[in-house]
Amino acid sequence: LLTEVMNLMLSPVLAAGGQPTILMKLCLASMAVVFPERVQLEAVHLLWGQLLRTEPYAINELGDLTPNQLRKRVRFISEALTSVGLLSIAKKDGVPFVEIYHGLQWEYALMLGREMHFGGSPSKAASRWHEAFASAYLNKKVEADREGGEDVCRIYALENLLQHMLKAGMYQKVAVLLRDDRFLNERLDLLDWTKAAECHIRDCKSLQAAMDSDESISADAVDVAVAIYTKAGGLVLDQAQASRKEAAPKDCAMALQQLGFALMDLGRHSEAISQYKSALKQVPKGTALAASILYSLAAVYIARNDHKKGLNNVKECLKVLQEIGESTTLYAEALILRGDSMMTTCDYKGALDSYDRALDNLFADSDNCRVEIGIALGRKGRLYQVMGEMENAHGALDECLKWKLKINESSCDLASIYNFLGDLCMDRDEKKKALDFFDAAYRLFEQHRNEADETDIHLINGKTDYLNSDFSGSQESFKLALESMEKKVRPLMDRTAYDYRTIAKTFLKQGDFGQAKGAFDKCLDATNDRRDESLERSAALFDMGNLYVNSKETKSAFPCFEDSLKIRIVKLGPSETVIDAMEKIGSLHKQVGEREDALNYFNKALELTEKVHGEDSPKVAEILYKFGELKEEMDEHVEALAMLGECLDIQRRHLPGRHPDIASTVDALGKIHLEKHNYEKAYQLFIEGLEIRQANFQPDDPRVGDSFHNLGVVSRKGGKCDRALTFLMEALHVRKSLEDESFTVETLLEIGNVHRALGDPESALGCYEKCLEITLDRYGGEDERISDILLPLGHAKKDLGFAEDAVDFYRRALEIREKKCGKDSAKCAAGFRSLGLVMYEKGDYRAAIKYLVDFIRIQDARKQKNSIDYVMGLEIIGDIHKFNNNAEDAISAFAAASNAYRQNKELSKLYPALGGFLEKRLAAEEKQNPDQEQAGGLLDQITGALRNLDNEVKMNDMIEASPEEEAFRRKLIFDG
């Protein structure tokens, strides 16, 4: 209805010809398009006069008009539109200003411009109308200058004429005016200097954008802009020197500073520095404006990677602000800038201090500094990220995000915060959270596409595709990101190095070691100028070490970890990140069997952890746990028990009673007591571990399966075979669901051991054969794990009376173990023992004593002298010597066996008859040979006896044992 009424009002019937006029609509539409805000009435009249003279519709309707007739017609249209309530005219300082009266009427006028097609498309009409005003004004200006008339639109034109010309596509004329001395001098004279600089910079940026979007323009838009800014800076300086105004130096400095900002935005750092230096010369050093210019100068030096000069200027800026007592936002911003530079130059502690001081300053006036608080928190979060303090990084970035959202910020900086939070979640395998953060980052970068860096968009696409298992899409996005990074390096805060490392880590997670290494190498190249200082480089070296570990190149991993540690020690000192590196190197030495080196690193890690966290910290317990595990591997059970016991004490003081870490520690303690044959103690510890794990995890959790398995082992060794079978079946139920079948094999083997202990070698053989089938299929015939099955298979075959088959299995197992573990390993000892026992049963005493001597030698070296097989080995050696009338050697062997038996109270509980057999042998031998003494150096004696064994051993006779001893030996179950 409103549109219909307006159409009728604006289309009165003409007196001549009786046709409705469109001139009212043309004038209203053009005014809405060209002058959306209040403007001098004279400017509107200039526009309309030009349109009535040039627009085909107007010429067709009005014909040729004299200048006087034209002015009258324009005035009549103005009065008509005002009389119907469409225009509002009011005077300011005697000059009439006009605007469309109501917003709805303005929208109606714009609709006319879109729908009436005044000679072409709406955009072409708008361009023509802007050109009409510009041309009319310039003609009027020439006339006024020639005749000395008044130019009431001059201020408006100085501010806005070039914008109209740009919308009309008059780019060349705009470029000429922007470089015109007279035009800029007029701007400086009639506008204040700051306003003049703002207008000049705005127009220059608009010209640059227009030239960039117009492919027909060959000139470099940046070069044109730089020439304009440089020319403007020179004119401003000339004006300042010629001016007698007291404020001229200050106004000049502010204008030059703005020109410096514009040049810095273009990346023309040298030209920006020149403007800032000129600005600084205009003002006294001890002023807030001087501090502001020093800040700008520092920013441009830092942007071009000249951090020494940048830091010097920041220092001067802060000094000025402190001297004049200005604790302003600028002071905090200068601290942030100093932190950025310090971080880039690897002064991480200095950077953290700067950010903290900036935040203290900003929080004192938080209501007015919300934007700056968000910036400072973001920088601090990034710093923590580089320092490897991921929990602190997440906390700072999360707080930064809250501040930015509180002020409804929408920016590329906010997108970057989302991106960094996504990276942290991705490292912690929090897939959903990471995807949500990356999605938020991507949407913001898309909203601000003109400001966004293409590298960030490609990286987010690559990470998102990876998390969604689109690996080909991920690789393509990373390829684009790498191309973008080659074109534009981001040195501030080691950002380019960080991006290379992010790509490398994602390739590493995909198992693409080749591309991962390539990206890590690029990261190292990007930090090569700070090879002994950059924590980003340290992180890349550390991650590269993990790559080598994953690709089984352990020797290459050590230098990476060690170089990473050196940087961390220098740059961070005592810290969690340094401790992590020491633990990693220690664990790697442990993994490859270099236990003394592992002990050295664990010891350093322990000392540092106590220094950083205190002696009673859960962190100390973590190191003690690793220390204890290593000591247990080295068969130093007393020290292992002490360290794990201390670990458990700390955990019980600081952790909830059913914390999973406590379960891990009691489990480790239980294994040592199991090794020491303290079965009741081991059983109690394993039960506690099971209860804790059942309280924390699902019934099918692998850790619950581990506890059931351990309880099965200790129950079997403690003679509780029925109970053992119950636990082991529970373990098997859990472990059969795991992807790694080695755990299933481990439990099946133990079930076979229980069947052997129950006198059912047939069932045991079935378990062992199934284990062999699984392991051969998964690992092949030469894997060390095969030997762990071959020995029990030999035991079962021996129990079934197939001694030759048993020997064959034992020898195959021993051959694999000597190759994989070394002849002096604990695993080889078990092979020697098994061969010695079966050879003894076969009556091949020469071979038996040879194998058993090797077994005893290894057990002595490992200080494992309290096991049942050690005692039995010595007893059999004694029987062979007795059989060959070597009384001295026999007595020594029986005495050593008896001593080992007495020292292990658990053995006397489990095998009470064995003590009697040993005492009986020793007493009988001593009675028959009263002059013989128990000599020392048992192994030397046995080894010496072996030299003459060929002559001494009676090959045609067999050693006979009592029926009680034969039955006892058949019940013994030795582990593999």
Side-chain angles (χ1 to χ4, degrees), residues 911-938:
Y911 311 110
L914 179 59
F917 299 149
L918 291 170
E919 292 298 327
K920 184 177 178 182
R921 275 176 167 70
L922 186 59
E925 199 64 21
E926 287 175 341
K927 184 177 181 181
Q928 290 179 12
N929 303 279
D931 297 330
Q932 298 292 339
E933 295 182 4
Q934 297 176 17
L938 173 63

Side-chain angles (χ1 to χ4, degrees), residues 553-595:
E553 299 177 64
T554 309
K555 287 185 178 179
S556 298
F558 278 113
C560 293
F561 289 133
E562 287 162 356
D563 288 347
S564 173
L565 177 60
K566 288 175 186 175
I567 296 172
R568 293 182 181 188
I569 290 172
V570 171
K571 303 312 296 184
L572 298 175
S575 64
E576 191 63 37
T577 311
V578 172
I579 294 167
D580 289 343
M582 288 177 172
E583 284 188 71
K584 185 72 177 184
I585 298 172
S587 297
L588 192 59
H589 279 298
K590 175 174 174 278
Q591 179 183 321
V592 299
E594 296 170 353
R595 290 167 178 162

Side-chain angles (χ1 to χ4, degrees), residues 258 306 350 507 608 682 684 693 751 935:
Q258 289 187 71
D306 189 345
F507 281 139
L608 195 58
Q684 293 167 7
R693 285 171 172 168
I751 291 172

Side-chain angles (χ1 to χ4, degrees), residues 383-401:
L383 175 58
Y384 277 133
Q385 208 174 4
V386 172
M387 293 171 71
E389 298 183 25
M390 299 308 173
E391 289 302 319
N392 287 335
H394 197 283
L397 290 171
D398 190 56
E399 190 179 355
C400 164
L401 183 62

Side-chain angles (χ1 to χ4, degrees), residues 366-381:
S366 59
D367 290 340
N368 297 314
C369 301
R370 295 182 179 185
V371 173
E372 293 77 13
I373 288 173
I375 292 170
L377 285 169
R379 297 289 205 281
K380 187 175 179 181

